[in-house]
């Protein structure tokens, strides 16, 4: 894989078919459609993958910033959710993601999805770097994340919140250790 061939773009309605292609028919993490941090817990539990797909499609169509997609040529190979904190209310109420101050002009980097063939190639770091630049261009003063710092090989889907070492390589700094494996990290723009 040649990381020099990568390009990055904000997800919009014109690119939604590329997200569907990247996530596959099951919607990335078994029907998540990147709604876990956006939906209230009850809505998430009771919702279906189809409902989450439609909610994500509507969010993208609203032209609100939702995230970035990475391409290798024309092929979508990675995704990250980068949004103002207000767009991910569930993230804001968790022990690992809750803000430690005012969230005005603070964005959250909450999710990643990397195509299997691109995992372990540094794409998460590149997505994090691009996410910071995208947030900064939209007026963010900081980007915050609550990645995992694995102590063992990751199991199915655990890395969706980001890998702490990849975010550190992108310039994020640990602010607080909220659980043994989940640091709260920040990039000051």
């Amino acid at each position: 894989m040649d990381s020099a061939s990568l390009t990055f773009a904000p997800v919009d309605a014109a690119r939604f078919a590329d997200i569907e292609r990247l996530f596959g028919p099951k919607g990335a993490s078994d029907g998540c459609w990147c709604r876990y941090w956006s939906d209230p817990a009850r809505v998430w539990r009771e919702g279906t993958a189809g409902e989450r797909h439609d909610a994500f499609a509507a969010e993208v169509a609203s032209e609100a910033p939702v995230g970035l997609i990475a391409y290798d040529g024309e092929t979508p190979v990675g995704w990250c959710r980068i949004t103002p904190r207000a767009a991910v209310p569930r993230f804001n109420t968790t022990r690992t993601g809750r803000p430690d101050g005012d969230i005005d002009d603070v964005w959250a980097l909450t999710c990643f999805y990397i195509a299997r063939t691109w995992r372990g190639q540094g794409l998460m770091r590149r997505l994090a770097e691009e996410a910071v630049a995208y947030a900064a261009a939209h007026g963010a003063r900081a980007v915050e994340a609550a990645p995992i710092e694995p102590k063992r090989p990751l199991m199915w889907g655990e890395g969706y919140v980001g890998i702490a070492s990849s975010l550190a390589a992108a310039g994020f700094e640990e602010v607080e250790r909220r659980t043994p494996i989940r640091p709260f990290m920040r990039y000051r723009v």
Side-chain angles (χ1 to χ4, degrees):
M1 311 291 152
D2 179 17
S3 65
S5 67
L6 292 173
T7 58
F8 301 86
V11 173
D12 57 18
R15 295 182 187 279
F16 192 72
D18 292 339
I19 284 289
E20 291 175 314
R21 203 164 108 207
L22 175 64
F23 284 6
K26 290 190 175 185
S29 295
D30 202 28
C32 179
W33 289 102
C34 214
R35 296 296 304 166
Y36 186 79
W37 299 117
S38 301
D39 290 339
R42 184 188 57 70
V43 171
W44 171 260
R45 277 191 314 273
E46 295 174 4
T48 66
E51 290 168 336
R52 289 189 284 273
H53 169 276
D54 294 348
F56 188 50
E59 184 182 16
V60 169
S62 77
E63 299 184 12
V66 294
L68 300 176
I69 188 167
Y71 293 92
D72 177 16
E74 300 293 317
T75 305
V77 296
W79 148 265
C80 71
R81 184 164 183 85
I82 178 72
T83 60
R85 267 189 169 274
V88 286
R90 191 169 174 193
F91 179 73
N92 295 333
T93 62
T94 65
R95 177 170 55 153
T96 55
R98 74 178 181 276
D100 65 350
D102 182 8
I103 65 168
D104 287 342
D105 303 324
V106 177
W107 286 43
L109 180 58
T110 55
C111 300
F112 291 86
Y113 185 78
I114 310 291
R116 186 173 305 279
T117 56
W118 275 86
R119 293 177 190 163
Q121 312 261 343
L123 180 53
M124 186 175 287
R125 176 189 55 81
R126 294 279 312 277
L127 276 163
E129 291 168 345
E130 294 290 330
V132 166
Y134 178 70
H138 287 84
R141 65 178 164 85
V143 176
E144 297 175 338
I148 191 168
E149 185 175 67
K151 303 293 183 202
R152 57 168 172 68
L154 292 175
M155 304 204 33
W156 175 91
E158 289 178 316
Y160 83 96
V161 293
I163 308 297
S165 60
S166 294
L167 271 62
F172 283 76
E173 296 179 352
E174 184 173 333
V175 174
E176 182 181 359
R177 180 62 54 146
R178 295 191 169 167
T179 76
I181 61 168
R182 295 289 300 278
F184 180 66
M185 299 181 82
R186 180 178 294 131
Y187 188 107
R188 292 192 189 281
V189 177

